């Protein structure tokens, strides 16, 4: 398996680029079907979702807009449990169908905080799409409407996801080698 070293850790490929692309195109097809006729506002959560959002958006065939918001809850490879404020909303989300685009949902703490804050903007509905999802780590009851790939509770990098800022440029997804 292809390996990469970032700072002090070694990772090996666990999800190849082709599998990621297939999962994204399946998610997009489902959205195109489900959201037809709605006024859709995609919201990519930075930094991690930038690559996923860009690739997904190319497959979207809807009456839609996209924006990016920022909120950081992670440092190193362990969830801190503290979630920061959502910044960057200048758009009018009232009566829109908002689709949150996340790179990964781990405990769900970040998602919970994002939804609480977005509800204040009076969207018609909020749906959640995450490329990756760790079911064993998830602690919330919030339904995740679109999941690309379910993964074990292990630390990963690549395709927008980082280890202390590094590894976002990798085309495949890599898992930490213990
Ligand atoms: P949660 O709040 O625990 O659901 O964590 C969500 C955020 O933590 C994601 O948006 C990522 O930025 C980061 N994260 C969670 N798991 C990983 C991982 O395995 N690798 C890199 N970042 C991760
Ligand atoms: Mg993130």
């Amino acid at each position: 398996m292809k390996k990469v070293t970032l700072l002090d850790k070694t990772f090996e490929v666990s999800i190849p680029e082709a599998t990621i692309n297939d999962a994204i195109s399946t998610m997009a097809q489902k959205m195109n079907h489900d959201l037809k006729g709605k006024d859709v506002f995609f919201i990519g959560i930075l930094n991690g979702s930038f690559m996923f959002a860009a690739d997904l958006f190319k497959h979207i065939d809807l009456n839609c807009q996209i924006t990016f918001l920022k909120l950081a809850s992670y440092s190193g490879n362990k969830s801190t449990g503290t979630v920061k404020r959502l910044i960057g909303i200048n758009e009018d989300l009232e009566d829109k169908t908002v689709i949150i685009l996340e790179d990964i949902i781990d405990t769900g703490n970040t998602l919970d905080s994002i939804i609480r804050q977005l509800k204040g903007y009076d969207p018609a509905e909020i749906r959640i799409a995450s490329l990756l999802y760790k079911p064993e780590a998830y602690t919330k009851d919030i339904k995740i409407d679109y999941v690309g790939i379910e993964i074990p509770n292990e630390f990963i990098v690549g395709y927008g996801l980082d280890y202390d800022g590094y590894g976002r440029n990798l085309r495949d997804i890599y898992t930490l080698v213990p």
Side-chain angles (χ1 to χ4, degrees):
M1 267 303 173
K2 229 188 332 182
K3 289 193 181 176
V4 67
T5 298
L6 302 167
L7 302 171
D8 58 335
K9 299 206 180 340
T10 300
F11 299 82
E12 65 184 7
V13 171
S14 52
I15 310 175
E17 184 181 7
T19 307
I20 300 169
N21 292 340
D22 285 352
I24 291 173
S25 111
T26 303
M27 291 174 91
Q29 280 169 33
K30 193 157 186 289
M31 290 178 187
N32 288 338
H33 173 266
D34 292 358
L35 305 171
K36 201 174 239 112
K38 293 181 188 271
D39 192 358
V40 183
F41 219 124
F42 288 93
I43 297 185
I45 308 301
L46 295 173
N47 294 323
S49 79
F50 75 97
M51 215 177 263
F52 165 53
D55 285 343
L56 178 89
F57 205 52
K58 289 184 246 178
H59 294 281
I60 295 295
D61 180 20
L62 292 167
N63 178 45
C64 64
Q65 302 177 64
I66 190 167
T67 193
F68 291 87
L69 302 181
K70 184 143 186 159
L71 175 132
S73 70
Y74 229 71
S75 95
N77 62 0
K78 269 185 20 214
S79 184
T80 59
T82 58
V83 173
K84 293 180 191 162
R85 258 178 60 80
L86 204 48
I87 50 169
I89 319 181
N90 305 308
E91 288 80 3
D92 180 11
L93 302 179
E94 203 175 319
D95 299 330
K96 302 278 196 309
T97 290
V98 167
I99 315 292
I100 298 171
L101 301 179
E102 265 287 25
D103 50 351
I104 185 165
I105 296 173
D106 188 329
T107 62
N109 291 331
T110 307
L111 180 67
D112 187 63
S113 163
I114 291 168
I115 289 173
R116 279 171 206 274
Q117 295 182 57
L118 284 179
K119 277 187 177 156
Y121 294 83
D122 284 332
E125 62 175 323
I126 300 176
R127 296 194 190 196
I128 297 119
S130 186
L131 174 62
L132 300 151
Y133 170 52
K134 296 181 183 173
E136 294 156 28
Y138 194 58
T139 61
K140 305 289 171 184
D141 294 324
I142 307 160
K143 180 180 166 223
I144 306 167
D145 303 275
Y146 305 95
V147 172
I149 305 166
E150 289 194 5
I151 60 167
N153 195 7
E154 291 167 346
F155 189 75
I156 58 164
V157 293
Y159 197 77
L161 290 113
D162 70 303
Y163 169 51
D164 269 358
Y166 293 92
R168 296 193 195 275
N169 53 315
L170 301 166
R171 305 174 76 104
D172 308 289
I173 288 172
Y174 292 69
T175 299
L176 181 64
V177 180

